Amino acid sequence: MRMIAALAGLLALVGALPAQAAGLQDVFGKDVPIGQGRPTVVLYANKGTRDELRQHVYQFIYDVREEKPIVVVHVDLRDVPGLFKGMAKGEIRKSHRESLDLMKQMFRKHGQAVPAELESSLYMVADSKGEPHKSMGLKKGFDQVVAKVLSPSGEEVARGPFPQSARKLGQSMASAPGANPPARVAQRAR
C-alpha cells in the first residue's frame, strides 16, 4: 500500500512540473533550463515581428537584470517553406550571437560590467510546427510579439503583448515566488 501511495505521489509531482520545461532544446541542441531556480522570460516571435522584438527587448532585459532571467525566444517557422527551414535555423543561430553582442553593448553603454551568466541566459528555439505559439493562441503569420514570465520554479506568473506589457512583466518577475529579494544593507549597532 505504501508503494502505491509513493508511486501516486511521484506521478503527481511529475505531473506538476511545467510542460514547457520537459525536453526543450535550443537551436544549438542545448537543454533550456526552465524552472531550475531562475525566472524566465519567454518571447513568442516570427520573422515578421523580429524588428519589433529587437527594438525593445535589449532595454527590457537590461531593466530586469537584477532578476538574472533566462530569456527564451520561440521563433515560429510555420510560415517558412519546408525547404528553407534549415537555413532559417542557421539564421537564428547567427541572430543568437548578434543578440548577445548587442546585450553586452547595452551593459557597457550604461557603465555596467557584463554579467557572467549572460552567455548562459539566452536560448533561441526554432519551432517548425509552431506548437508553443498555437498554445498561446497565435495563428500562423501573427504580427505581435507575445511574452510570458515564468517563476524560478517554472510556473507562469504573467503574460501579455510585448513591448506594451513590458512594465507589468518586469514587475511580475520581481514579485514572483522565489524571485531574488531586494538587496538590503544590514544595520550595524555601534
Side-chain angles (χ1 to χ4, degrees):
M1 194 61 151
R2 285 184 181 175
M3 181 88 122
I4 293 172
L7 184 57
L10 181 60
L11 288 174
L13 179 63
V14 170
L17 291 175
Q20 65 269 31
L24 183 62
Q25 293 187 334
D26 73 356
V27 293
F28 298 104
K30 295 186 301 187
D31 289 333
V32 180
I34 294 175
Q36 296 181 18
R38 288 173 61 190
T40 304
V41 176
V42 185
L43 299 155
Y44 296 87
N46 60 19
K47 69 179 182 179
T49 61
R50 180 174 61 182
D51 292 337
E52 179 185 13
L53 180 62
R54 284 186 171 185
Q55 184 178 358
H56 301 283
V57 75
Y58 304 114
Q59 184 63 50
F60 174 75
I61 294 169
Y62 179 80
D63 291 344
V64 297
R65 69 191 176 280
E66 295 298 322
E67 303 305 321
K68 297 180 170 116
I70 299 291
V71 178
V72 180
V73 181
H74 278 279
V75 181
D76 187 356
L77 298 180
R78 288 179 289 179
D79 55 352
V80 175
L83 185 61
F84 298 103
K85 289 190 193 270
M87 287 188 343
K89 288 178 184 178
E91 286 298 313
I92 295 169
R93 286 185 198 100
K94 180 181 169 187
S95 181
H96 181 270
R97 173 54 40 208
E98 291 170 356
S99 294
L100 286 173
D101 290 343
L102 289 169
M103 268 314 305
K104 289 175 184 177
Q105 287 177 18
M106 176 68 74
F107 278 91
R108 290 181 187 124
K109 177 178 125 180
H110 287 92
Q112 299 277 323
V114 175
E117 70 275 354
L118 184 65
E119 293 280 333
S120 63
S121 296
L122 177 63
Y123 296 87
M124 293 184 152
V125 179
D127 294 314
S128 296
K129 296 180 181 169
E131 293 300 326
H133 299 84
K134 288 178 193 174
S135 72
M136 294 290 290
L138 298 170
K139 295 182 175 162
K140 180 178 175 180
F142 61 93
D143 61 358
Q144 172 69 59
V145 176
V146 174
K148 70 179 174 182
V149 172
L150 305 175
S151 70
S153 63
E155 300 300 318
E156 183 175 326
V157 294
R159 75 167 62 182
F162 186 82
Q164 295 83 348
S165 61
R167 183 175 178 177
K168 176 185 93 170
L169 295 167
Q171 290 170 342
S172 69
M173 188 182 311
S175 64
N180 293 332
R184 297 183 184 178
V185 178
Q187 294 185 8
R188 297 182 185 171
R190 293 186 183 208

